[in-house]
Amino acid sequence: MENIIEYLKAERAQDWRAELRKSMKAKERTSRERVQMPEEDPFVRNKSKIEVNIGLTAEAAVLEAQRCLDCPDPTCITGCPVGINIPKFIKNIEAKNFAGAAVTLKETNALPAVCGRVCPQEKQCEIVCFYTIKLNKVPVAIGHLERFAADWERNSGKMAIPETEKANNVKVAVIGSGPAGLAAAGDLAKFGYDVTVFEALHEIGGVLKYGIPEFRLPNELVDTEIEVMRKMGIKFRVNFIVGKTASFDDLKKEGFQAFFVGSGAGLPRFMNIPGENYNGIFSSNEYLTRVNLMNAADPEFDTPVISGNKVAVIGGGNTAMDSVRMAKRLGADESMIIYRRSEVEMPARVEEVKHAKEEGIIFMNLHNPLEYYADENGRVKSMKIQKMELGEPDASGRRRPVPIEGSEFIVDVDTVVVSVGVSPNPLIPAALSDLKCTDWGTIVVDKETMQSSIPEIFAGGDIVRGGATVILAMGDGRTAAAGMHKYIQEKIKAN
Amino acid sequence: MSKILEKEFFSKNVVKIVLDAPEIARSRKPGHFVIIKMGEKGERIPLTIASADAEKGTVTLVIQKVGVTSDKLSRLEVGDEVTDVVGPLGKATHLENVGTVLCAGGGVGVAPLLPIVEGLKKAGNRVVTILAARTKDLIILEDQMREYSDEVIIMTDDGSYGTKGLVTAGMEEVINREKVNMSVVIGPAIMMKFAALTTKKYNIETVASLNTIMVDGTGMCGACRVSVGGKTKFVCVDGPEFDAHQVDFDEMLSRLSAYQDQESAAYQKYLQTVEA
């Protein structure tokens, strides 16, 4: 930690940074309004796949970068799960060295274009920005600037390939190619390892591909970041389920010295209420996978999807927002959220809720489904829902929803998407009987190193957390990569 | 990518293909299935494994043409490649010596039944196998089944081969004739439903292998969910085999038809393009 602080100080002391700080008065910086992210028209975007946020222009990015005070004690970094050197990349933008900004991001973040879009910055770096904590002003738009730098680099056609240590010819495996796996793979490659990423699906990217929709994160952009990782020497194997296609022992025989498990929280939860298995009722995973990964809405593709005129999405998280906004895009007249608490308790990002409202999404907060009814063909036609009120706070600290007796009523729906959370994917724990897991099925790890009860196996992301964010998964991937590096180097020294 | 090494039509609509898939061939056990996808725009469909050869690194699948993907697959020739093949998936069959096992396969359900029959025989059971189909042409893998069964009974709906009658009639005959300790039924959902009702009358423990709609096949989507004993289970990770007496086959039949209209429209459109 000492080293990092020293390093940040040395970076800040560089002449160009010192000159930039002097080039404008602090008062001038702090008196400026925060930049607004330009957005597509809500009634144009809710009928297409186009990205909602358009991105900042170079001029707007430089103006916003000037707001950053380049603090001697950059608290923002403490809010970043992957520890991006935030002032350095922002000052590079101010200096119009956009390529330098992108390189800075990639020092610690394998997927800046992704994080710039889907990270909840308002709860991470921006909430601990000097503006927020000391000036009581809106924070520097760190997320928008991150996206700007990453996009600028991609559009320039000259993607910098992060430097890697000399190849050490030690084979390591990364299981799962979602955000946790990709972050781990990126760091392991930088340390010089021979990294192979194993993916169960036919495409690389995990939740970034099957889960998060195009209008929030275009798949093409994920592919570009993965291409950079290939150039770093990382190998990818699709259609390969570790524990099924080959066992851990098989892979050890092939020379793999350590494993990072980032297999995700791939088991959707249902509510187990009557009628939940009628046709037209999906998990959000299925609904989004059909459309995002399998392109079901495109008639050229073979995968079908049902999406009706009256769609109810159950839940209040980001995945629920993605599903309900997707339903609108697939042509629903009415696309509504049914959430058992109030908007204040919603786990979804404020921006997503705002975008959803702009697009004409109906919010039935403080409502909970009780039962589904089907037509003669077994297709859902209506649902019984109950009104709720908020009681005392529960274990999560949020006020507990309490049913209002006698408040039940029937709503007509023809499609329902259940988005009430996910459980850890059972495949890896099932393949390793010695692996210590919680009662919930998540893998138990040492938080400092992400090492599991089996020394050569490390884990992170949703398979450890049970359901979190892209950036927390990436943070785990980085921590695990460092843990694996230490483990392998100690093992080599001991022999 | 998996190359097709052999191909044989059992009948007009049923084809056997042997795929080069060394890792799956080594790891698979009776009861397992794979997911395949044809081309960049293809859908993912589950197919049960009929047999595999670990040394040659091959996996054998038996496919009935029912829609776009199975039809496309049936049109591939030796040397062509299947874009995506992943597996083996699902839980393997629990194989032990229980005494006498009555195995009943309907249509292409006979293919996944074959490795189970083999496994049950090798575990020391007496195995009586019933192969059932609408008509003689659709009876498949008879010789292979005879190799591992103590007795094979053929049932056809039209009486063109073996005994005329439904699979359940053959099952009742065996049950009335000798002590049956367990039954395994694999075939169309409607066949499994009635086979399960038959064995339930006699209180014979029965396993059914379910072939539902799937997308990922790894527990991620829940498209394959079925009610077993009143609880929702995922066929891909909890199955594919379940206690047949607990499965809600009516729900399963309804769920299988979820995309019927879209599927048949897509198939008609596809047939026009390939025949044009």
Side-chain angles (χ1 to χ4, degrees), chain A residues 328-344:
Chain A
K328 193 82 192 169
R329 284 158 172 79
L330 296 183
D333 292 331
E334 278 179 29
S335 189
M336 63 183 145
I337 284 283
I338 295 179
Y339 177 54
R340 63 195 181 124
R341 303 185 204 241
S342 76
E343 190 174 321
V344 180

Side-chain angles (χ1 to χ4, degrees), chain B residues 102-107 110 129-140 142 146 152-174 191:
Chain B
L102 175 59
C103 293
V110 169
T129 302
I130 301 178
L131 306 181
R134 275 202 325 276
T135 187
K136 186 182 175 183
D137 282 353
L138 301 176
I139 295 288
I140 59 169
E142 184 188 341
R146 287 195 187 280
V152 171
I153 298 166
I154 310 280
M155 302 291 297
T156 51
D157 293 4
D158 63 0
S160 55
Y161 189 42
T163 308
K164 181 173 173 10
L166 297 173
V167 67
T168 46
M171 292 175 75
E172 294 231 31
E173 197 194 307
V174 176
M191 170 257 172

Side-chain angles (χ1 to χ4, degrees), chain A residues 275-283 286 372 380 416 418, chain B residues 225 255:
Chain A
E276 210 173 17
N277 290 345
Y278 286 133
N279 290 329
I281 304 181
F282 304 87
S283 72
E286 181 184 354
Y372 299 101
V380 66
V416 175
V418 182
Chain B
R225 63 196 195 273
R255 288 186 61 77

Side-chain angles (χ1 to χ4, degrees), chain B:
Chain B
M1 290 278 205
S2 285
K3 191 175 271 189
I4 296 182
L5 303 175
E6 288 174 44
K7 181 186 175 188
E8 179 191 348
F9 274 97
F10 285 152
S11 67
K12 186 168 158 266
N13 289 318
V14 178
V15 63
K16 177 186 100 168
I17 59 170
V18 178
L19 283 175
D20 177 34
E23 278 146 341
I24 300 173
R26 261 203 311 272
S27 305
R28 75 92 215 189
K29 292 192 175 69
H32 279 149
F33 64 94
V34 292
I35 292 241
I36 68 118
K37 177 172 163 284
M38 301 278 300
E40 188 208 340
K41 295 175 180 175
E43 62 184 336
R44 295 169 65 97
I45 61 162
L47 292 168
T48 32
I49 300 171
S51 63
D53 186 325
E55 276 174 31
K56 288 186 191 156
T58 61
V59 170
T60 303
L61 307 174
V62 175
I63 300 120
Q64 183 170 21
K65 277 201 270 178
V66 288
V68 174
T69 304
S70 51
D71 196 307
K72 275 186 194 168
L73 199 53
S74 76
R75 284 170 203 268
L76 293 184
E77 298 300 339
V78 171
D80 288 345
E81 284 184 327
V82 179
T83 327
D84 297 281
V85 181
V86 61
L89 294 159
K91 287 185 176 161
T93 310
H94 179 67
L95 297 166
E96 61 173 337
N97 187 351
V98 294
T100 297
V101 185
L102 175 59
C103 293
V108 284
V110 169
L113 188 60
L114 178 63
I116 297 172
V117 165
E118 181 185 343
L120 286 167
K121 185 66 205 167
K122 286 180 175 164
N125 292 281
R126 170 177 158 76
V127 182
V128 179
T129 302
I130 301 178
L131 306 181
R134 275 202 325 276
T135 187
K136 186 182 175 183
D137 282 353
L138 301 176
I139 295 288
I140 59 169
L141 299 169
E142 184 188 341
D143 292 345
Q144 290 89 333
M145 280 295 191
R146 287 195 187 280
E147 198 180 321
Y148 298 109
S149 306
D150 292 275
E151 184 186 350
V152 171
I153 298 166
I154 310 280
M155 302 291 297
T156 51
D157 293 4
D158 63 0
S160 55
Y161 189 42
T163 308
K164 181 173 173 10
L166 297 173
V167 67
T168 46
M171 292 175 75
E172 294 231 31
E173 197 194 307
V174 176
I175 294 165
N176 288 323
R177 180 185 80 187
E178 62 182 295
K179 170 78 183 157
V180 172
N181 301 90
M182 194 183 114
S183 184
V184 179
V185 298
I186 310 183
I190 191 79
M191 170 257 172
M192 291 192 283
K193 174 184 169 177
F194 285 102
L197 286 172
T198 303
T199 58
K200 192 162 185 199
K201 268 197 305 196
Y202 299 94
N203 230 342
I204 298 166
E205 183 194 333
T206 301
V207 171
S209 176
L210 311 184
N211 192 352
T212 51
I213 293 172
M214 291 185 190
V215 183
D216 65 294
T218 63
M220 202 252 308
C221 81
C224 64
R225 63 196 195 273
V226 288
S227 294
V228 181
K231 287 199 173 120
T232 294
K233 298 280 179 186
F234 287 8
V235 173
C236 64
V237 287
D238 299 322
E241 290 169 13
F242 294 98
D243 177 348
H245 298 155
Q246 301 291 323
V247 173
D248 183 342
F249 283 106
D250 292 329
E251 180 190 275
M252 180 182 162
L253 279 159
S254 173
R255 288 186 61 77
L256 279 169
S257 71
Y259 297 95
Q260 211 167 38
D261 295 348
Q262 285 156 293
E263 281 164 355
S264 55
Y267 194 25
Q268 289 311 316
K269 198 177 141 202
Y270 165 79
L271 286 175
Q272 281 168 8
T273 60
V274 288
E275 279 155 16

